[in-house]
Amino acid sequence: MSRTELQPDVLLVEDNPGDARLVEHHLNESHVADLVGDVTLHHEETLSDGLSALEETSHDILFLDLGLPESTGLATLERVLEGDLRLPIVVLTGLDDRETAVTAIQRGAQDYLLKDDLDADVLARTLRYAVERYQQEAELRRQN
């Protein structure tokens, strides 16, 4: 695929510094830019800081850990969805639970990724498809 002008602004809400560094490392790998353009990554460690960042600054996508100090599981996703955000949400989690994954998608997450399965290609494809799918859905909503 040729270089794109997507250049997404990503908000990562992740309390584990090691996992945050891993996501950042993968998004900074040279071939990721070929798929999604240059990525700008903002990192918050708590849900409350993440929600504040979403209110204060425009982002193209939210990568959300479900296990945060002040909220865990699907309750974390629900708290984000209460804000009626206009951006795609990708759940990043260590919880390998099919039922939780299906429920997260049904409630509004664009994708559900296991941290153990993350690499640059998975993150780049997920990022690109989530943003493009969300933009297409928004366009359909505007037309109706």
PDB file of all heavy atoms in Angstrom, residues 34-68:
ATOM      1  N   ASP A  34       4.084   4.022   6.319  1.00  0.00           N
ATOM      2  CA  ASP A  34       3.661   3.689   4.963  1.00  0.00           C
ATOM      3  C   ASP A  34       2.170   3.352   4.907  1.00  0.00           C
ATOM      4  O   ASP A  34       1.522   3.554   3.889  1.00  0.00           O
ATOM      5  CB  ASP A  34       4.455   2.502   4.417  1.00  0.00           C
ATOM      6  CG  ASP A  34       5.910   2.856   4.170  1.00  0.00           C
ATOM      7  OD1 ASP A  34       6.198   4.051   3.943  1.00  0.00           O
ATOM      8  OD2 ASP A  34       6.748   1.943   4.214  1.00  0.00           O
ATOM      9  N   LEU A  35       1.631   2.846   5.995  1.00  0.00           N
ATOM     10  CA  LEU A  35       0.227   2.438   6.027  1.00  0.00           C
ATOM     11  C   LEU A  35      -0.692   3.537   6.546  1.00  0.00           C
ATOM     12  O   LEU A  35      -1.785   3.729   6.035  1.00  0.00           O
ATOM     13  CB  LEU A  35       0.077   1.173   6.884  1.00  0.00           C
ATOM     14  CG  LEU A  35      -1.280   0.493   6.868  1.00  0.00           C
ATOM     15  CD1 LEU A  35      -1.652   0.081   5.454  1.00  0.00           C
ATOM     16  CD2 LEU A  35      -1.285  -0.717   7.778  1.00  0.00           C
ATOM     17  N   VAL A  36      -0.256   4.266   7.564  1.00  0.00           N
ATOM     18  CA  VAL A  36      -1.159   5.245   8.190  1.00  0.00           C
ATOM     19  C   VAL A  36      -0.619   6.664   8.214  1.00  0.00           C
ATOM     20  O   VAL A  36      -1.285   7.568   8.694  1.00  0.00           O
ATOM     21  CB  VAL A  36      -1.534   4.829   9.632  1.00  0.00           C
ATOM     22  CG1 VAL A  36      -2.302   3.535   9.638  1.00  0.00           C
ATOM     23  CG2 VAL A  36      -0.325   4.766  10.537  1.00  0.00           C
ATOM     24  N   GLY A  37       0.586   6.886   7.744  1.00  0.00           N
ATOM     25  CA  GLY A  37       1.186   8.209   7.852  1.00  0.00           C
ATOM     26  C   GLY A  37       1.845   8.363   9.211  1.00  0.00           C
ATOM     27  O   GLY A  37       1.920   7.428  10.001  1.00  0.00           O
ATOM     28  N   ASP A  38       2.329   9.553   9.485  1.00  0.00           N
ATOM     29  CA  ASP A  38       2.993   9.807  10.761  1.00  0.00           C
ATOM     30  C   ASP A  38       1.954   9.839  11.874  1.00  0.00           C
ATOM     31  O   ASP A  38       0.946  10.539  11.780  1.00  0.00           O
ATOM     32  CB  ASP A  38       3.740  11.137  10.718  1.00  0.00           C
ATOM     33  CG  ASP A  38       4.893  11.101   9.723  1.00  0.00           C
ATOM     34  OD1 ASP A  38       5.499  10.024   9.562  1.00  0.00           O
ATOM     35  OD2 ASP A  38       5.166  12.140   9.102  1.00  0.00           O
ATOM     36  N   VAL A  39       2.211   9.080  12.921  1.00  0.00           N
ATOM     37  CA  VAL A  39       1.285   8.975  14.050  1.00  0.00           C
ATOM     38  C   VAL A  39       1.735   9.913  15.162  1.00  0.00           C
ATOM     39  O   VAL A  39       2.909   9.941  15.527  1.00  0.00           O
ATOM     40  CB  VAL A  39       1.246   7.523  14.589  1.00  0.00           C
ATOM     41  CG1 VAL A  39       0.357   7.427  15.819  1.00  0.00           C
ATOM     42  CG2 VAL A  39       0.789   6.559  13.506  1.00  0.00           C
ATOM     43  N   THR A  40       0.792  10.669  15.690  1.00  0.00           N
ATOM     44  CA  THR A  40       1.031  11.463  16.889  1.00  0.00           C
ATOM     45  C   THR A  40       0.376  10.719  18.039  1.00  0.00           C
ATOM     46  O   THR A  40      -0.824  10.426  17.985  1.00  0.00           O
ATOM     47  CB  THR A  40       0.413  12.873  16.756  1.00  0.00           C
ATOM     48  OG1 THR A  40       0.972  13.503  15.616  1.00  0.00           O
ATOM     49  CG2 THR A  40       0.680  13.692  17.996  1.00  0.00           C
ATOM     50  N   LEU A  41       1.150  10.386  19.062  1.00  0.00           N
ATOM     51  CA  LEU A  41       0.643   9.606  20.189  1.00  0.00           C
ATOM     52  C   LEU A  41       0.641  10.452  21.443  1.00  0.00           C
ATOM     53  O   LEU A  41       1.652  11.048  21.811  1.00  0.00           O
ATOM     54  CB  LEU A  41       1.499   8.354  20.396  1.00  0.00           C
ATOM     55  CG  LEU A  41       1.073   7.440  21.544  1.00  0.00           C
ATOM     56  CD1 LEU A  41      -0.286   6.797  21.258  1.00  0.00           C
ATOM     57  CD2 LEU A  41       2.125   6.369  21.792  1.00  0.00           C
ATOM     58  N   HIS A  42      -0.512  10.488  22.100  1.00  0.00           N
ATOM     59  CA  HIS A  42      -0.661  11.122  23.408  1.00  0.00           C
ATOM     60  C   HIS A  42      -0.998  10.009  24.390  1.00  0.00           C
ATOM     61  O   HIS A  42      -1.826   9.147  24.083  1.00  0.00           O
ATOM     62  CB  HIS A  42      -1.781  12.154  23.392  1.00  0.00           C
ATOM     63  CG  HIS A  42      -1.583  13.223  22.373  1.00  0.00           C
ATOM     64  ND1 HIS A  42      -0.861  14.360  22.624  1.00  0.00           N
ATOM     65  CD2 HIS A  42      -1.991  13.300  21.085  1.00  0.00           C
ATOM     66  CE1 HIS A  42      -0.842  15.105  21.540  1.00  0.00           C
ATOM     67  NE2 HIS A  42      -1.515  14.473  20.582  1.00  0.00           N
ATOM     68  N   HIS A  43      -0.378  10.046  25.551  1.00  0.00           N
ATOM     69  CA  HIS A  43      -0.558   8.975  26.524  1.00  0.00           C
ATOM     70  C   HIS A  43      -1.074   9.535  27.842  1.00  0.00           C
ATOM     71  O   HIS A  43      -0.524  10.505  28.363  1.00  0.00           O
ATOM     72  CB  HIS A  43       0.776   8.244  26.737  1.00  0.00           C
ATOM     73  CG  HIS A  43       0.740   7.231  27.823  1.00  0.00           C
ATOM     74  ND1 HIS A  43       1.705   7.161  28.787  1.00  0.00           N
ATOM     75  CD2 HIS A  43      -0.161   6.258  28.124  1.00  0.00           C
ATOM     76  CE1 HIS A  43       1.413   6.178  29.620  1.00  0.00           C
ATOM     77  NE2 HIS A  43       0.285   5.622  29.242  1.00  0.00           N
ATOM     78  N   GLU A  44      -2.109   8.919  28.365  1.00  0.00           N
ATOM     79  CA  GLU A  44      -2.627   9.222  29.701  1.00  0.00           C
ATOM     80  C   GLU A  44      -2.685   7.925  30.484  1.00  0.00           C
ATOM     81  O   GLU A  44      -2.986   6.871  29.927  1.00  0.00           O
ATOM     82  CB  GLU A  44      -4.025   9.862  29.631  1.00  0.00           C
ATOM     83  CG  GLU A  44      -4.068  11.181  28.901  1.00  0.00           C
ATOM     84  CD  GLU A  44      -3.299  12.298  29.588  1.00  0.00           C
ATOM     85  OE1 GLU A  44      -2.981  12.182  30.794  1.00  0.00           O
ATOM     86  OE2 GLU A  44      -3.014  13.310  28.914  1.00  0.00           O
ATOM     87  N   GLU A  45      -2.402   8.007  31.786  1.00  0.00           N
ATOM     88  CA  GLU A  45      -2.330   6.799  32.605  1.00  0.00           C
ATOM     89  C   GLU A  45      -3.610   6.465  33.357  1.00  0.00           C
ATOM     90  O   GLU A  45      -3.768   5.355  33.848  1.00  0.00           O
ATOM     91  CB  GLU A  45      -1.174   6.916  33.600  1.00  0.00           C
ATOM     92  CG  GLU A  45       0.172   6.927  32.920  1.00  0.00           C
ATOM     93  CD  GLU A  45       1.330   6.948  33.899  1.00  0.00           C
ATOM     94  OE1 GLU A  45       1.098   6.935  35.128  1.00  0.00           O
ATOM     95  OE2 GLU A  45       2.477   6.984  33.430  1.00  0.00           O
ATOM     96  N   THR A  46      -4.524   7.424  33.470  1.00  0.00           N
ATOM     97  CA  THR A  46      -5.771   7.167  34.192  1.00  0.00           C
ATOM     98  C   THR A  46      -6.959   7.484  33.303  1.00  0.00           C
ATOM     99  O   THR A  46      -6.864   8.272  32.359  1.00  0.00           O
ATOM    100  CB  THR A  46      -5.870   8.025  35.474  1.00  0.00           C
ATOM    101  OG1 THR A  46      -5.983   9.397  35.103  1.00  0.00           O
ATOM    102  CG2 THR A  46      -4.673   7.798  36.389  1.00  0.00           C
ATOM    103  N   LEU A  47      -8.089   6.903  33.642  1.00  0.00           N
ATOM    104  CA  LEU A  47      -9.294   7.150  32.872  1.00  0.00           C
ATOM    105  C   LEU A  47      -9.715   8.609  32.993  1.00  0.00           C
ATOM    106  O   LEU A  47     -10.082   9.235  31.988  1.00  0.00           O
ATOM    107  CB  LEU A  47     -10.422   6.221  33.324  1.00  0.00           C
ATOM    108  CG  LEU A  47     -11.726   6.340  32.546  1.00  0.00           C
ATOM    109  CD1 LEU A  47     -11.507   6.116  31.056  1.00  0.00           C
ATOM    110  CD2 LEU A  47     -12.760   5.376  33.096  1.00  0.00           C
ATOM    111  N   SER A  48      -9.638   9.166  34.177  1.00  0.00           N
ATOM    112  CA  SER A  48     -10.049  10.566  34.344  1.00  0.00           C
ATOM    113  C   SER A  48      -9.159  11.500  33.522  1.00  0.00           C
ATOM    114  O   SER A  48      -9.655  12.435  32.889  1.00  0.00           O
ATOM    115  CB  SER A  48     -10.065  10.975  35.812  1.00  0.00           C
ATOM    116  OG  SER A  48      -8.804  10.785  36.399  1.00  0.00           O
ATOM    117  N   ASP A  49      -7.846  11.240  33.489  1.00  0.00           N
ATOM    118  CA  ASP A  49      -6.957  12.057  32.660  1.00  0.00           C
ATOM    119  C   ASP A  49      -7.244  11.845  31.176  1.00  0.00           C
ATOM    120  O   ASP A  49      -7.193  12.781  30.381  1.00  0.00           O
ATOM    121  CB  ASP A  49      -5.489  11.749  32.958  1.00  0.00           C
ATOM    122  CG  ASP A  49      -5.039  12.277  34.309  1.00  0.00           C
ATOM    123  OD1 ASP A  49      -5.736  13.141  34.887  1.00  0.00           O
ATOM    124  OD2 ASP A  49      -3.985  11.817  34.792  1.00  0.00           O
ATOM    125  N   GLY A  50      -7.569  10.633  30.804  1.00  0.00           N
ATOM    126  CA  GLY A  50      -7.921  10.347  29.420  1.00  0.00           C
ATOM    127  C   GLY A  50      -9.198  11.057  29.000  1.00  0.00           C
ATOM    128  O   GLY A  50      -9.274  11.634  27.918  1.00  0.00           O
ATOM    129  N   LEU A  51     -10.202  11.034  29.876  1.00  0.00           N
ATOM    130  CA  LEU A  51     -11.457  11.719  29.565  1.00  0.00           C
ATOM    131  C   LEU A  51     -11.244  13.224  29.462  1.00  0.00           C
ATOM    132  O   LEU A  51     -11.816  13.882  28.589  1.00  0.00           O
ATOM    133  CB  LEU A  51     -12.516  11.382  30.617  1.00  0.00           C
ATOM    134  CG  LEU A  51     -12.996   9.926  30.614  1.00  0.00           C
ATOM    135  CD1 LEU A  51     -13.901   9.660  31.811  1.00  0.00           C
ATOM    136  CD2 LEU A  51     -13.686   9.564  29.316  1.00  0.00           C
ATOM    137  N   SER A  52     -10.406  13.759  30.326  1.00  0.00           N
ATOM    138  CA  SER A  52     -10.087  15.196  30.244  1.00  0.00           C
ATOM    139  C   SER A  52      -9.379  15.517  28.941  1.00  0.00           C
ATOM    140  O   SER A  52      -9.680  16.527  28.288  1.00  0.00           O
ATOM    141  CB  SER A  52      -9.209  15.616  31.425  1.00  0.00           C
ATOM    142  OG  SER A  52      -9.919  15.527  32.633  1.00  0.00           O
ATOM    143  N   ALA A  53      -8.439  14.671  28.550  1.00  0.00           N
ATOM    144  CA  ALA A  53      -7.713  14.887  27.295  1.00  0.00           C
ATOM    145  C   ALA A  53      -8.663  14.845  26.103  1.00  0.00           C
ATOM    146  O   ALA A  53      -8.499  15.608  25.147  1.00  0.00           O
ATOM    147  CB  ALA A  53      -6.604  13.846  27.131  1.00  0.00           C
ATOM    148  N   LEU A  54      -9.660  13.979  26.154  1.00  0.00           N
ATOM    149  CA  LEU A  54     -10.631  13.900  25.062  1.00  0.00           C
ATOM    150  C   LEU A  54     -11.492  15.154  24.979  1.00  0.00           C
ATOM    151  O   LEU A  54     -11.879  15.576  23.897  1.00  0.00           O
ATOM    152  CB  LEU A  54     -11.520  12.668  25.238  1.00  0.00           C
ATOM    153  CG  LEU A  54     -10.832  11.335  24.963  1.00  0.00           C
ATOM    154  CD1 LEU A  54     -11.694  10.181  25.442  1.00  0.00           C
ATOM    155  CD2 LEU A  54     -10.507  11.199  23.483  1.00  0.00           C
ATOM    156  N   GLU A  55     -11.772  15.752  26.109  1.00  0.00           N
ATOM    157  CA  GLU A  55     -12.573  16.981  26.121  1.00  0.00           C
ATOM    158  C   GLU A  55     -11.761  18.186  25.654  1.00  0.00           C
ATOM    159  O   GLU A  55     -12.300  19.098  25.039  1.00  0.00           O
ATOM    160  CB  GLU A  55     -13.103  17.247  27.530  1.00  0.00           C
ATOM    161  CG  GLU A  55     -14.163  16.279  27.981  1.00  0.00           C
ATOM    162  CD  GLU A  55     -14.600  16.515  29.413  1.00  0.00           C
ATOM    163  OE1 GLU A  55     -14.185  17.521  30.024  1.00  0.00           O
ATOM    164  OE2 GLU A  55     -15.357  15.685  29.929  1.00  0.00           O
ATOM    165  N   GLU A  56     -10.469  18.181  25.950  1.00  0.00           N
ATOM    166  CA  GLU A  56      -9.624  19.345  25.694  1.00  0.00           C
ATOM    167  C   GLU A  56      -8.997  19.369  24.304  1.00  0.00           C
ATOM    168  O   GLU A  56      -8.712  20.436  23.769  1.00  0.00           O
ATOM    169  CB  GLU A  56      -8.504  19.412  26.741  1.00  0.00           C
ATOM    170  CG  GLU A  56      -9.024  19.616  28.144  1.00  0.00           C
ATOM    171  CD  GLU A  56      -7.957  19.383  29.198  1.00  0.00           C
ATOM    172  OE1 GLU A  56      -6.779  19.162  28.848  1.00  0.00           O
ATOM    173  OE2 GLU A  56      -8.315  19.408  30.392  1.00  0.00           O
ATOM    174  N   THR A  57      -8.751  18.200  23.727  1.00  0.00           N
ATOM    175  CA  THR A  57      -7.997  18.111  22.484  1.00  0.00           C
ATOM    176  C   THR A  57      -8.682  17.144  21.525  1.00  0.00           C
ATOM    177  O   THR A  57      -9.212  16.126  21.947  1.00  0.00           O
ATOM    178  CB  THR A  57      -6.560  17.608  22.761  1.00  0.00           C
ATOM    179  OG1 THR A  57      -5.989  18.379  23.804  1.00  0.00           O
ATOM    180  CG2 THR A  57      -5.691  17.703  21.537  1.00  0.00           C
ATOM    181  N   SER A  58      -8.600  17.441  20.247  1.00  0.00           N
ATOM    182  CA  SER A  58      -9.167  16.572  19.229  1.00  0.00           C
ATOM    183  C   SER A  58      -8.209  15.411  18.944  1.00  0.00           C
ATOM    184  O   SER A  58      -7.007  15.614  18.780  1.00  0.00           O
ATOM    185  CB  SER A  58      -9.397  17.384  17.955  1.00  0.00           C
ATOM    186  OG  SER A  58      -9.861  16.545  16.939  1.00  0.00           O
ATOM    187  N   HIS A  59      -8.751  14.213  18.900  1.00  0.00           N
ATOM    188  CA  HIS A  59      -7.990  13.008  18.570  1.00  0.00           C
ATOM    189  C   HIS A  59      -8.753  12.248  17.494  1.00  0.00           C
ATOM    190  O   HIS A  59      -9.966  12.394  17.356  1.00  0.00           O
ATOM    191  CB  HIS A  59      -7.799  12.118  19.794  1.00  0.00           C
ATOM    192  CG  HIS A  59      -7.091  12.794  20.917  1.00  0.00           C
ATOM    193  ND1 HIS A  59      -5.731  12.948  20.951  1.00  0.00           N
ATOM    194  CD2 HIS A  59      -7.558  13.384  22.042  1.00  0.00           C
ATOM    195  CE1 HIS A  59      -5.385  13.589  22.053  1.00  0.00           C
ATOM    196  NE2 HIS A  59      -6.482  13.875  22.733  1.00  0.00           N
ATOM    197  N   ASP A  60      -8.050  11.420  16.745  1.00  0.00           N
ATOM    198  CA  ASP A  60      -8.680  10.623  15.696  1.00  0.00           C
ATOM    199  C   ASP A  60      -9.116   9.249  16.170  1.00  0.00           C
ATOM    200  O   ASP A  60      -9.988   8.635  15.552  1.00  0.00           O
ATOM    201  CB  ASP A  60      -7.712  10.454  14.518  1.00  0.00           C
ATOM    202  CG  ASP A  60      -7.379  11.786  13.881  1.00  0.00           C
ATOM    203  OD1 ASP A  60      -8.323  12.527  13.541  1.00  0.00           O
ATOM    204  OD2 ASP A  60      -6.182  12.096  13.743  1.00  0.00           O
ATOM    205  N   ILE A  61      -8.491   8.766  17.234  1.00  0.00           N
ATOM    206  CA  ILE A  61      -8.791   7.418  17.725  1.00  0.00           C
ATOM    207  C   ILE A  61      -8.353   7.309  19.179  1.00  0.00           C
ATOM    208  O   ILE A  61      -7.413   7.986  19.612  1.00  0.00           O
ATOM    209  CB  ILE A  61      -8.087   6.351  16.850  1.00  0.00           C
ATOM    210  CG1 ILE A  61      -8.604   4.946  17.180  1.00  0.00           C
ATOM    211  CG2 ILE A  61      -6.574   6.444  16.955  1.00  0.00           C
ATOM    212  CD1 ILE A  61      -8.229   3.896  16.137  1.00  0.00           C
ATOM    213  N   LEU A  62      -9.046   6.461  19.903  1.00  0.00           N
ATOM    214  CA  LEU A  62      -8.714   6.174  21.293  1.00  0.00           C
ATOM    215  C   LEU A  62      -8.335   4.710  21.422  1.00  0.00           C
ATOM    216  O   LEU A  62      -9.112   3.830  21.049  1.00  0.00           O
ATOM    217  CB  LEU A  62      -9.918   6.484  22.195  1.00  0.00           C
ATOM    218  CG  LEU A  62      -9.823   6.030  23.649  1.00  0.00           C
ATOM    219  CD1 LEU A  62      -8.674   6.725  24.376  1.00  0.00           C
ATOM    220  CD2 LEU A  62     -11.141   6.268  24.359  1.00  0.00           C
ATOM    221  N   PHE A  63      -7.131   4.454  21.921  1.00  0.00           N
ATOM    222  CA  PHE A  63      -6.734   3.108  22.321  1.00  0.00           C
ATOM    223  C   PHE A  63      -6.946   3.051  23.819  1.00  0.00           C
ATOM    224  O   PHE A  63      -6.334   3.816  24.570  1.00  0.00           O
ATOM    225  CB  PHE A  63      -5.266   2.830  21.993  1.00  0.00           C
ATOM    226  CG  PHE A  63      -4.988   2.559  20.538  1.00  0.00           C
ATOM    227  CD1 PHE A  63      -3.710   2.724  20.037  1.00  0.00           C
ATOM    228  CD2 PHE A  63      -5.967   2.118  19.673  1.00  0.00           C
ATOM    229  CE1 PHE A  63      -3.417   2.469  18.710  1.00  0.00           C
ATOM    230  CE2 PHE A  63      -5.697   1.865  18.338  1.00  0.00           C
ATOM    231  CZ  PHE A  63      -4.410   2.038  17.857  1.00  0.00           C
ATOM    232  N   LEU A  64      -7.816   2.157  24.273  1.00  0.00           N
ATOM    233  CA  LEU A  64      -8.271   2.129  25.659  1.00  0.00           C
ATOM    234  C   LEU A  64      -7.971   0.797  26.324  1.00  0.00           C
ATOM    235  O   LEU A  64      -8.451  -0.250  25.878  1.00  0.00           O
ATOM    236  CB  LEU A  64      -9.783   2.396  25.697  1.00  0.00           C
ATOM    237  CG  LEU A  64     -10.463   2.382  27.046  1.00  0.00           C
ATOM    238  CD1 LEU A  64      -9.973   3.545  27.915  1.00  0.00           C
ATOM    239  CD2 LEU A  64     -11.980   2.433  26.877  1.00  0.00           C
ATOM    240  N   ASP A  65      -7.208   0.849  27.401  1.00  0.00           N
ATOM    241  CA  ASP A  65      -6.985  -0.319  28.248  1.00  0.00           C
ATOM    242  C   ASP A  65      -8.219  -0.479  29.123  1.00  0.00           C
ATOM    243  O   ASP A  65      -8.732   0.499  29.672  1.00  0.00           O
ATOM    244  CB  ASP A  65      -5.733  -0.090  29.101  1.00  0.00           C
ATOM    245  CG  ASP A  65      -5.415  -1.248  30.023  1.00  0.00           C
ATOM    246  OD1 ASP A  65      -5.939  -2.374  29.809  1.00  0.00           O
ATOM    247  OD2 ASP A  65      -4.632  -1.058  30.969  1.00  0.00           O
ATOM    248  N   LEU A  66      -8.708  -1.692  29.273  1.00  0.00           N
ATOM    249  CA  LEU A  66      -9.883  -1.918  30.122  1.00  0.00           C
ATOM    250  C   LEU A  66      -9.532  -2.046  31.599  1.00  0.00           C
ATOM    251  O   LEU A  66     -10.410  -1.931  32.442  1.00  0.00           O
ATOM    252  CB  LEU A  66     -10.633  -3.183  29.685  1.00  0.00           C
ATOM    253  CG  LEU A  66     -11.374  -3.124  28.362  1.00  0.00           C
ATOM    254  CD1 LEU A  66     -12.145  -4.416  28.139  1.00  0.00           C
ATOM    255  CD2 LEU A  66     -12.296  -1.933  28.284  1.00  0.00           C
ATOM    256  N   GLY A  67      -8.277  -2.285  31.929  1.00  0.00           N
ATOM    257  CA  GLY A  67      -7.880  -2.462  33.315  1.00  0.00           C
ATOM    258  C   GLY A  67      -7.116  -1.266  33.832  1.00  0.00           C
ATOM    259  O   GLY A  67      -5.886  -1.229  33.780  1.00  0.00           O
ATOM    260  N   LEU A  68      -7.830  -0.269  34.310  1.00  0.00           N
ATOM    261  CA  LEU A  68      -7.211   0.945  34.826  1.00  0.00           C
ATOM    262  C   LEU A  68      -7.452   1.040  36.329  1.00  0.00           C
ATOM    263  O   LEU A  68      -8.384   0.425  36.848  1.00  0.00           O
ATOM    264  CB  LEU A  68      -7.787   2.172  34.108  1.00  0.00           C
ATOM    265  CG  LEU A  68      -7.543   2.206  32.603  1.00  0.00           C
ATOM    266  CD1 LEU A  68      -8.385   3.295  31.945  1.00  0.00           C
ATOM    267  CD2 LEU A  68      -6.068   2.410  32.305  1.00  0.00           C
TER     268      LEU A  68
END
